[in-house]
Each structure stands twice: as structure tokens, then as C-alpha cells.
Amino acid sequence: MAEEVNPFESLQEQIDEAAEYLDVGDDVIERLKHPERVLETNLSVEMDDGSIEVFKAFRSQFNGDRGPYKGGIRYHPQVSRDEVRALSGWMVYKTATVGIPLGGGKGGIIIDPDEYSESELERITRAFAEEITPLIGEDKDVPAPDVNTGQREMNWIKDTYETLENTTEPGVITGKDISSGGSAGRVEATGRSTVIAAREAFDYLDKDVEGATVAVQGYGNAGWITAKLIDEMGADVVAVSDSSGGIYNADGFDPVDAKQHKRETGSVVGYSEAGEEISNDELLTLDVDLLVPAALENAIDEELAHDIQADVISEAANGPITPEGDDVLEDEDVLIVPDILANAGGVTVSYFEWVQNRQRFYWDEQRVNEELEDIIVNQFDTLVDAYEDHDLPSLRVAAYVVAIERVVDSYEQSGNWP
């Protein structure tokens, strides 16, 4: 069994690797490898039967040199302090990679939401909102949805914050329902940027997305939207998976129908148009043109990387490949579009939502999608330029080089330079 990889250590390794190509002092790099603060709290919440249950929760604020902290809140049994620290750090370099004026944060509660009623989840969410209210605000820290959270939870947090602060401040949180100040295009944003990034990678390799075979690991919001949009571009989705397992059909299948099957049954497994059932590891090692890891971090470690056959990987998940796995894939000339660009559509459209909330002026979906496409395409070109001009080992290193330079420049311009 492969050794468990600490995501926070993976983040720090990625920063160290990029630092080798930067003229930045070791002391500054060390500062950029650690969060500025981490809240760890215990939520005591009444259950439907009258009992009290305690949930451990976190909020990490990693770096605010370029603007308010920004990052999602996830509900998952595997949430940990190191995971939240890592995710908040990745968010710093994600917002810097796409050039939006925000920092990085992340939050989470150790919980399996499937085991609780909607009323219990509301009380848990509002208890967490009470704990983080002193830390958040449209000019301080702007949370958003992540794994197992969505518009519903964001609306509860917004309402709790506004009630406690006796204010109206829709920009305190993003990923809200449209009627609560959410943005058009937000639900599809992460999947959309993953597909745009993949298309640009194919263009860079002089390949065509039309007719390409695609496997998607993870069929939550990001994964299934990626599958839907890449299918609309003419690619053939041949495999998808969720936590229960995967399905495969060499001739392809309709990803929207597969999603409907998941809604009805709880899993893609058993979908009638799939030729066979496969494991998540089998999906990741299929001989396909494009692989989209869209589940949790560390899905591809050094051992599994040796069996990867895809030509292009576009990372819809955060940190799906360990640094050791990265090294193997670099040697195999697999082109990886890193998470801090590929899945940055979520935070980019969250930024658009934040802007709209502050202006009290809202855009239509066409404008949102056009603005998102411009950013992803332009920043992909920036990464390619850095990759080629500085003879860097990968697009991931290029992304961190570009991002760290932008964060350091903001730090220097603030007058805090040592």
C-alpha cells in the first residue's frame, strides 16, 4: 500500500521547487510556505433527537498580500488541519496565477454530511458561521463552496453573518444562489475552466479535442460539468467514476445521462450504457487522450504514476498528483495543466460575484463566461511563455514561478520588504 502523503508537505515541496528558478531570498520563500493564522474550533450542536454532538472545524488564512483571503469550505470526514492549510496555500497561488486581486484561505468541518438531516446541517453550518464571523467580511476573508457544500450552505452563512453584524453584505461569501446575490455561470465555472485549459493544452500540442477520449475521476460538480462540456466540444467521454467506483465504455456514453443515473441511485455504477465497471485506479490508468482527476488530493502517487497512459492531464481537483507522482509524469512527457490554473474557474467567477455584489450590478451568463475564457486563455499563454523562456521542467513549476513572483511583488510594494 502506498504511503499516505501529507498535502501540506506537498504544497511546500512545490513552492521549494519553483523557488530554485527565482531570485527571491530563502526567508521570503519560508514566509510564503506557512499560513498567517489557522482557526481550530469545536462546534457543539444540538441534533434532531435533542443530543449534543461536537464537530471539529477549521479556517486557514494563508496569505493576504494581494487582497482579502479567498477560499472554500468543505464538509468531509477526511478534513484535517494540514489539508486545510494546504488548500489555503494552493488558493494563494491559484488567485495569483490567474491574476485576480485576492489572497488564499480555506475552511472545513470534519463531518460526513450524508449522515445528517438538512435541519442538522443547517445548525452545524450556522454554528460554524458564528465562529468565523469575526474573521470574515468582503474586505477580510470571503469563503465559498467546496467539497459537499453549495449554494444552500453559502446562503446560511451569509444570513448568519448579516444577522450577527446587523448589515447587508452579500459580498461576504460567494457561490450563493442567484436570488441571494450569486453570479450567473458560477455552478459551471470550475468545470468550464478545466475544459478551456485542456483545450489550450491540446492546441499547444497540435492536437484536436474533437474525437479525443476522456476519463474523469470524480463525478461531483466539477467532474460532471467537465464531462458535459468536453462532450459538447466533440470529445468522447469513455469513463467516469465516483467514490463507489467507475464505469467504462470504449465507444463513449452520454455524461449527462450518467449524471442523471447518479442522481437517481447515488452512484454512476450500474449506468446501463457503460460496458463495464472499473475501479478508480483502473480509470486513472486508462489509455486515453485526456485524464481529468476531479476528486480529492493525492489521487495519483509515485506508484500509480508509472501506469498513467494519458497524454494530457487537466486537474479539476486540488492537489490530485503528489510531487513524486509529478516527477514520474514529467519523465514520461505527460502534459499536466496544474490545478492552480485548470480549476481556477471557480475562484475566478467567485471573484466576479464579489465584484458584482460590491457594485450591486449583475452580469449575464454570456459576459461571465467570456470574461472567464479570456482569463484562462491569457494565463495559459503566460505559463507557456514562462515554461519555454526559462526552460522550466513543467507547467506546474511555471505556474508557481509566475504566482510567487506576483505575490512577492505585492509584498514588496506594501513596504514590508525586509
Side-chain angles (χ1 to χ4, degrees):
M1 184 174 178
E3 183 179 352
E4 186 174 345
V5 178
N6 184 308
F8 185 61
E9 292 175 359
S10 294
L11 165 70
Q12 293 185 318
E13 287 183 44
Q14 291 165 343
I15 294 170
D16 283 336
E17 184 177 9
E20 295 176 10
Y21 303 92
L22 290 164
D23 184 21
V24 178
D26 291 344
D27 53 345
V28 176
I29 292 298
E30 190 64 23
R31 175 183 180 271
L32 299 179
K33 289 165 60 178
H34 298 276
E36 294 171 359
R37 64 189 61 84
V38 180
L39 169 71
E40 181 174 326
T41 185
N42 293 299
L43 312 174
S44 298
V45 182
E46 183 178 353
M47 299 292 99
D48 290 342
D49 63 2
S51 65
I52 300 295
E53 193 163 341
V54 179
F55 303 88
K56 187 174 290 293
F58 307 90
R59 183 68 183 175
S60 174
Q61 296 177 329
F62 200 96
N63 181 282
D65 289 337
R66 301 186 66 256
Y69 307 103
K70 186 80 187 79
I73 295 170
R74 62 175 50 184
Y75 292 179
H76 197 275
Q78 295 176 11
V79 165
S80 69
R81 184 183 182 90
D82 277 347
E83 180 190 56
V84 170
R85 289 196 298 167
L87 291 164
S88 65
W90 280 320
M91 186 60 77
V92 172
Y93 302 108
K94 185 182 299 183
T95 57
T97 296
V98 292
I100 57 177
L102 296 169
K106 207 73 177 187
I109 303 176
I110 302 175
I111 183 175
D112 181 351
D114 291 338
E115 295 182 357
Y116 297 88
S117 69
E118 182 172 353
S119 61
E120 288 171 336
L121 288 172
E122 179 175 357
R123 291 194 293 276
I124 293 164
T125 301
R126 289 184 182 275
F128 184 53
E130 288 185 30
E131 289 295 314
I132 63 173
T133 285
L135 299 178
I136 65 175
E138 62 184 18
D139 289 316
K140 295 192 292 185
D141 183 349
V142 184
D146 197 69
V147 175
N148 292 327
T149 61
Q151 294 178 344
R152 179 184 67 177
E153 289 78 13
M154 300 308 104
N155 292 344
W156 288 337
I157 294 173
K158 170 181 173 288
D159 179 69
T160 302
Y161 174 88
E162 290 181 333
T163 300
L164 291 172
E165 295 296 307
N166 192 28
T167 188
T168 300
E169 193 176 315
V172 69
I173 201 160
T174 60
K176 305 180 294 294
D177 182 83
I178 295 289
S179 62
S180 296
S183 175
R186 175 61 184 85
V187 172
E188 290 194 344
T190 303
R192 186 173 297 278
S193 66
T194 303
V195 169
I196 294 169
R199 183 198 66 202
E200 295 303 297
F202 272 68
D203 286 347
Y204 178 67
L205 296 175
D206 293 322
K207 296 177 179 287
D208 196 341
V209 169
E210 187 171 355
T213 53
V214 182
V216 180
Q217 183 233 8
Y219 222 52
N221 179 68
W224 102 264
I225 293 296
T226 297
K228 168 180 173 286
L229 296 177
I230 203 84
D231 176 75
E232 291 174 358
M233 287 185 178
D236 294 322
V237 176
V238 299
V240 300
S241 68
D242 54 33
S243 58
S244 298
I247 53 176
Y248 173 70
N249 186 328
D251 295 325
F253 51 83
D254 186 340
V256 178
D257 280 352
K259 179 62 175 179
Q260 184 59 35
H261 177 82
K262 179 176 171 67
R263 290 193 184 103
E264 293 171 355
T265 68
S267 174
V268 296
V269 176
Y271 175 55
S272 60
E273 297 302 316
E276 61 181 287
E277 295 181 7
I278 57 175
S279 69
N280 270 281
D281 283 358
E282 287 172 329
L283 179 145
L284 291 167
T285 56
L286 287 171
D287 185 5
V288 292
D289 298 308
L290 173 65
L291 173 63
V292 179
L296 298 176
E297 58 271 6
N298 298 331
I300 301 174
D301 59 14
E302 181 179 12
E303 181 180 343
L304 191 65
H306 286 286
D307 297 324
I308 298 294
Q309 300 183 73
D311 297 318
V312 176
I313 297 176
S314 189
E315 296 182 328
N318 292 309
I321 305 175
T322 68
E324 295 75 18
D326 251 345
D327 292 340
V328 173
L329 295 172
E330 286 172 20
D331 291 341
E332 297 295 329
D333 293 326
V334 178
L335 183 64
I336 302 170
V337 186
D339 47 3
I340 59 174
L341 177 67
N343 70 32
V347 71
T348 302
V349 176
S350 281
Y351 165 60
F352 296 162
E353 181 178 335
W354 179 71
V355 169
Q356 294 169 75
N357 289 158
R358 304 198 69 166
Q359 294 179 336
R360 302 296 202 271
F361 180 81
Y362 292 86
W363 308 349
D364 62 24
E365 187 169 358
Q366 180 178 347
R367 178 179 176 183
V368 170
N369 291 342
E370 288 174 351
E371 297 276 3
L372 173 61
E373 174 136 358
D374 284 347
I375 285 176
I376 300 300
V377 170
N378 290 338
Q379 298 306 326
F380 181 89
D381 291 342
T382 297
L383 299 198
V384 168
D385 288 344
Y387 171 65
E388 295 182 341
D389 292 348
H390 301 289
D391 194 25
L392 300 175
S394 67
L395 286 181
R396 189 185 313 282
V397 174
Y400 276 95
V401 166
V402 169
I404 291 171
E405 284 180 334
R406 288 173 174 172
V407 175
V408 168
D409 185 57
S410 293
Y411 179 47
E412 182 179 10
Q413 295 302 321
S414 71
N416 293 317
W417 192 253

